[in-house]
Amino acid sequence: MNEERRKILEMLAQGKISVDEAEKLLAAISQPEEESETGKKYDKKDFPKYLRVVVEPGPASRKGEKVNIRVPFSLLRAGIKLASVVPHDVQGKVNEHLKEKGINLDLSNITPDNLEELLKHLNELEVDVDSKEEKVRIFCE
Amino acid sequence: MMPPPLWMRLRIIESGRTKLRLWLPFVLIWLVFLLLIIILSPLVLLASLIMWGYGLGKKLLMVGPMFFYVLCALHGLNIQVDSVDSQFSISFQ
């Protein structure tokens, strides 16, 4: 029996919570969790599904350009998995080219677990940039 | 895993005129993909056996399923760019 379950039962025994409340709490802690390859547990609800980029014209915009992009995070996961089958010498060349462009990132260092951790925290990401020309919003949903 | 997209919708409008409007059923691409797998699988198996000693055999075998995984992951991708006289949109549903 885990600690949370024991505490709920103790609170019920002490009369601090009712049977209904205890039932709800027990149901809440026993919701299905997704287990990753290395055994860490992630709740599916924690993960955003899409990265959204929305650009709207500001009051002084001349072109009136609107951009609406929705990228599923599953595409990012697939990309990382695809990168894992790329031979090491090719990965080295890719990393060199990325460095030349100013991106110092080694794709082989990103594991599925790192990615899940990153995605979990992206849930709270929200970037708003307001200027006279345009309004940019980047968020996850 | 997400199911593969059923449709790809592509629309390009320039100077107020529709240049391209395309509804592509992805089922056709699955069929082409399946045909390619059937045709190429003996060659890929042979190549992976030859390359196994160099440590590339397993990776070579994984390329096909990985491309299918990427194809499935396209489900829900939507890009839309509108300006005063032109529009571009592509979506996978």
Side-chain angles (χ1 to χ4, degrees):
Chain A
M1 192 185 300
N2 67 26
E3 193 63 29
E4 287 167 328
R5 198 174 289 268
R6 187 185 293 274
K7 273 185 184 172
I8 293 167
L9 292 175
E10 277 174 7
M11 283 161 73
L12 178 66
Q14 289 162 5
K16 288 180 181 174
I17 54 171
S18 67
V19 175
D20 285 346
E21 285 169 335
E23 200 179 346
K24 279 178 191 169
L25 287 169
L26 286 170
I29 63 163
S30 62
Q31 275 181 346
E33 288 178 316
E34 188 177 308
E35 199 163 333
S36 74
E37 285 164 16
T38 55
K40 277 188 183 175
K41 285 183 175 180
Y42 297 105
D43 196 334
K44 262 191 172 177
K45 284 189 290 183
D46 291 341
F47 293 97
K49 275 190 170 177
Y50 300 102
L51 175 72
R52 294 285 312 274
V53 179
V54 179
V55 182
E56 285 177 345
S61 171
R62 289 175 193 170
K63 292 177 184 173
E65 278 186 344
K66 283 182 187 176
V67 178
N68 188 356
I69 298 174
R70 188 179 70 173
V71 183
F73 279 117
S74 55
L75 193 58
L76 191 65
R77 287 190 183 99
I80 294 291
K81 282 195 176 177
L82 190 66
S84 69
V85 296
V86 173
H88 289 293
D89 51 337
V90 178
Q91 275 183 16
K93 281 180 188 171
V94 171
N95 289 340
E96 271 177 33
H97 283 285
L98 283 173
K99 250 186 192 174
E100 280 171 19
K101 299 275 179 190
I103 305 164
N104 196 1
L105 179 72
D106 188 355
L107 291 174
S108 61
N109 285 341
I110 303 175
T111 64
D113 257 353
N114 293 149
L115 189 68
E116 295 306 319
E117 197 70 32
L118 180 74
L119 291 183
K120 194 178 174 184
H121 291 101
L122 273 179
N123 223 348
E124 293 148 21
L125 173 85
E126 190 161 342
V127 179
D128 282 315
V129 182
D130 280 2
S131 71
K132 287 178 184 175
E133 288 286 322
E134 58 203 6
K135 290 177 183 177
V136 181
R137 277 188 74 208
I138 301 170
F139 59 98
C140 300
E141 62 178 24
Chain B
M1 195 169 77
M2 273 196 171
L6 291 172
W7 293 89
M8 184 192 81
R9 199 186 68 175
L10 177 67
R11 194 178 60 181
I12 301 171
I13 297 173
E14 273 183 11
S15 309
R17 290 175 62 189
T18 305
K19 283 227 163 182
L20 184 66
R21 188 185 285 257
L22 180 71
W23 283 77
L24 182 70
F26 250 59
V27 182
L28 296 176
I29 291 178
W30 301 351
L31 290 175
V32 172
F33 193 76
L34 192 70
L35 206 68
L36 272 174
I37 286 172
I38 292 166
I39 293 167
L40 293 176
S41 57
L43 292 172
V44 172
L45 274 172
L46 190 69
S48 66
L49 279 174
I50 293 166
M51 302 297 274
W52 204 271
Y54 301 98
L56 294 172
K58 196 179 170 187
K59 287 185 174 182
L60 203 59
L61 278 178
M62 291 299 289
V63 168
M66 279 298 163
F67 270 106
F68 186 69
Y69 187 61
V70 172
L71 190 74
C72 292
L74 284 172
H75 195 121
L77 177 70
N78 181 37
I79 298 169
Q80 193 173 345
V81 182
D82 292 352
S83 68
V84 177
D85 60 346
S86 61
Q87 285 178 11
F88 169 83
S89 78
I90 184 166
S91 67
F92 296 84
Q93 294 161 349

